[in-house]
Amino acid sequence: MPPRVWRVSATPGSSRIALMTARFPNVLRRSGPLRDASYAAARWLGRLRDIALPNQCALCGNLSQDVLCSGCDTQYWNEARVRCPVCALPVDRRSDRARLICRTCIAEPPNFDATFALADYRAPLDTLALDLKFHARSATGHEFARHLHAAFETTDACAPDLLAPVPLSRARLNARGFNQAWSIGKPLARRLGAHADAMLIERTRHTAPQARLDLDTRRRNVGDAFRVMRDVRGKHVAIVDDVMTSGATLDALARTLKSAGALRVTNFVALRTPQD
């Protein structure tokens, strides 16, 4: 049988690592030290790739010293969107700034207080989130963090005291090998001057992927799925995620945090689905 080999290739849009497991096709599906070592090797090779290979713009493929070239950076991070300050859904640009809160948040206020989002979850920006989630490209997490901090700096919002990623279940964390929200949250916390704590909130049970469910089922799916592990009384807590869709997970997290005494909860999400 052919030996197991690693292949590093550069493709337009991003440099990717392909793990060729001809000899051990199910190794990454198994639990245990061998699977963990494989994930660690993949992350190490990802860092080596970013250093050794000429960097390409993740969207257009042109040579760039950063994740995005200056052209794509200007085009995609400066969209003319006015967003609800609570849930970050797009609202009518003609709205009075005093009435920017969307009708949904007025009718049914969520448990979180504010949301920062960089752009809509749409092509080609969705490839950035997918590259971070499934290819562990940490540079993309840093890019999201840089822009989220820049967006925060344009407001008069108060900085959070604590910052935590949306937690993954133990099963999903073991399967994926890392939490993509933490790849954004850790560098963002440094920029905000907040205390970062990846273990602030625990997901107490494995839940079905939210994308497959309708809104009501999503709410039931995550309604009691979290537990606060630290003292958050009187604190302003920031929750970080890569993509916000319905907001059901973030709402459940905010409810859990406020039940534990948190004073305020602000979401920082890289991309926002414009409509559920």
Side-chain angles (χ1 to χ4, degrees), residues 245-259:
T245 307
S246 69
T249 298
L250 292 166
D251 190 58
L253 282 165
R255 181 172 63 252
T256 302
L257 284 164
K258 287 192 171 179
S259 295

Side-chain angles (χ1 to χ4, degrees), residues 233-265:
R233 288 174 293 180
K235 302 292 186 180
H236 177 188
V237 181
I239 299 297
V240 179
D241 206 1
D242 56 337
V243 179
M244 179 179 181
T245 307
S246 69
T249 298
L250 292 166
D251 190 58
L253 282 165
R255 181 172 63 252
T256 302
L257 284 164
K258 287 192 171 179
S259 295
L263 183 64
R264 183 177 177 85
V265 177

Side-chain angles (χ1 to χ4, degrees), residues 66 139 141-153 159-160 163 183-196 268:
D66 300 311
H142 284 265
E143 184 77 357
F144 284 150
R146 181 171 70 86
H147 283 285
L148 282 168
H149 178 253
F152 174 81
E153 288 289 284
L163 183 148
S183 299
I184 305 170
K186 191 173 182 180
L188 178 59
R190 288 197 295 268
R191 291 176 177 272
L192 292 171
H195 176 68
F268 288 84

Side-chain angles (χ1 to χ4, degrees), residues 110-129:
N111 288 284
F112 49 78
D113 300 280
T115 301
F116 289 89
L118 296 178
D120 289 342
Y121 183 78
R122 58 179 175 82
L125 292 176
D126 56 347
T127 61
L128 296 178

Side-chain angles (χ1 to χ4, degrees), residues 52 123 155 172 175:
T155 72
R172 188 158 293 134

